[in-house]
């Protein structure tokens, strides 16, 4: 049935229609490879006073684990090959050691104040720790543009065949999908699983960051 929005004022004061959004403790940002997620997240943090964390910065918070970015990259090579089940990932001692380090680092980050965490945790984890959280996802729909962006990385700079670059892009997303799967019952990249989804091809880097910043620092 079509309803006339001009008559919807009658819902004023009904609690089911009066959700009040408040600044969250944490933004969890997943991003498809070459959607500029890190850049968008970092810029949004600069504009809001949130602290930005990704794998590299999180590991700096827990030097006692002795885990480096290279260690994580080496382990996650296996995630390029196929989709693993949650049970397979969680039963792997190599993964549990790395995940324990990130979990400790996330506790430290949350205790420091409002933050954005890129790719290394899920909304469920943050909520379970007693903090409020908004989940966000950046993606890009133009594969030709993604190929150009991928070639700015040393990983793909010298790759001549576009098909090989596309394969690499899909493998990078596979890493992120497997990591997410270990910590969530939702599927990485499923737009219905996130609170905010931003197509960076449509909005560009700067305006995508502004949209995300709005959720991080709502006007009272």
């Amino acid at each position: 049935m079509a309803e006339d929005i001009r008559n919807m004022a009658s819902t004023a004061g009904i609690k089911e229609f009066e959700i009040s959004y408040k600044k969250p403790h944490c933004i969890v940002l997943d991003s498809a490879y070459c959607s500029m997620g890190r850049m968008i997240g970092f810029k949004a943090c600069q504009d809001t006073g949130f602290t930005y964390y990704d794998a590299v910065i999180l590991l700096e918070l827990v030097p006692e684990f002795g885990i480096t970015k290279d260690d994580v990259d080496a382990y996650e090579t296996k995630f390029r090959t196929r989709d693993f089940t949650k049970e397979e990932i969680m039963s792997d001692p190599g993964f549990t050691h790395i995940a324990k380090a990130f979990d400790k680092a996330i506790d430290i980050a949350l205790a420091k104040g409002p933050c954005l965490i890129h790719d290394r945790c899920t909304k469920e984890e943050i909520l379970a720790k007693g903090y409020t959280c908004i989940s966000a996802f950046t993606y890009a729909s133009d594969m030709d543009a993604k190929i150009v962006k991928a070639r700015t990385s040393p990983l793909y700079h010298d790759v001549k065949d576009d098909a090989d670059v596309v394969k690499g892009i899909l493998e990078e997303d596979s890493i992120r999908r497997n990591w997410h799967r270990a910590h969530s019952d939702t599927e990485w990249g499923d737009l219905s699983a996130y609170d905010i989804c931003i197509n960076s091809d449509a909005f560009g880097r700067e305006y995508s960051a502004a949209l995300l910043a709005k959720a991080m620092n709502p006007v009272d």
Side-chain angles (χ1 to χ4, degrees):
M1 182 180 75
E3 296 183 84
D4 188 338
I5 188 62
R6 293 169 294 184
N7 297 325
M8 296 297 286
S10 60
T11 62
I14 300 175
K15 65 179 182 179
E16 288 80 5
F17 291 90
E18 301 295 332
I19 296 173
S20 179
Y21 179 70
K22 297 181 180 180
K23 176 179 177 178
H25 294 109
C26 180
I27 298 287
V28 168
L29 175 62
D30 286 346
S31 64
Y33 192 64
C34 293
S35 68
M36 302 184 290
R38 283 187 178 87
M39 299 175 189
I40 290 166
F42 187 74
K43 179 66 167 60
C45 286
Q46 288 182 316
D47 293 342
T48 59
F50 274 57
T51 302
Y52 173 87
Y53 296 97
D54 57 20
V56 174
I57 300 172
L58 287 170
L59 289 175
E60 291 174 356
L61 298 178
V62 286
E64 65 273 17
F65 281 86
I67 299 174
T68 67
K69 174 187 179 297
D70 289 341
D71 294 330
V72 176
D73 288 344
Y75 174 79
E76 290 181 340
T77 298
K78 67 169 61 180
F79 286 164
R80 289 178 172 272
T81 60
R82 67 178 177 89
D83 285 346
F84 289 79
T85 66
K86 183 173 186 175
E87 292 71 23
E88 287 176 320
I89 299 169
M90 295 301 290
S91 65
D92 185 336
F95 177 82
T96 55
H97 179 58
I98 293 171
K100 185 176 180 181
F102 280 125
D103 187 60
K104 176 63 175 178
I106 289 164
D107 284 338
I108 295 171
L110 290 167
K112 288 178 176 288
C115 59
L116 179 147
I117 301 174
H118 181 264
D119 269 347
R120 293 298 157 174
C121 64
T122 63
K123 180 177 180 177
E124 294 98 314
E125 291 178 274
I126 302 301
L127 295 177
K129 293 176 183 293
Y131 295 87
T132 56
C133 181
I134 291 295
S135 60
F137 183 70
T138 61
Y139 65 102
S141 51
D142 186 337
M143 181 56 76
D144 289 338
K146 291 172 77 170
I147 291 171
V148 173
K149 293 187 183 81
R151 284 204 166 102
T152 67
S153 166
L155 292 174
Y156 305 105
H157 182 73
D158 295 324
V159 178
K160 304 302 182 184
D161 192 329
D162 282 357
D164 290 334
V165 178
V166 171
K167 180 175 180 290
I169 291 170
L170 297 178
E171 288 179 349
E172 296 289 344
D173 285 346
S174 179
I175 292 172
R176 300 172 189 207
R177 183 180 303 107
N178 278 303
W179 186 274
H180 181 95
R181 182 172 290 153
H183 296 288
S184 177
D185 292 328
T186 66
E187 190 67 11
W188 180 93
D190 177 359
L191 302 189
S192 67
Y194 297 91
D195 299 312
I196 302 171
C197 299
I198 300 173
N199 182 347
S200 57
D201 280 344
F203 294 105
R205 182 179 62 189
E206 296 301 309
Y207 200 74
S208 293
L211 291 172
L212 185 57
K214 188 71 173 177
M216 296 160 74
N217 234 0
V219 176
D220 294 330

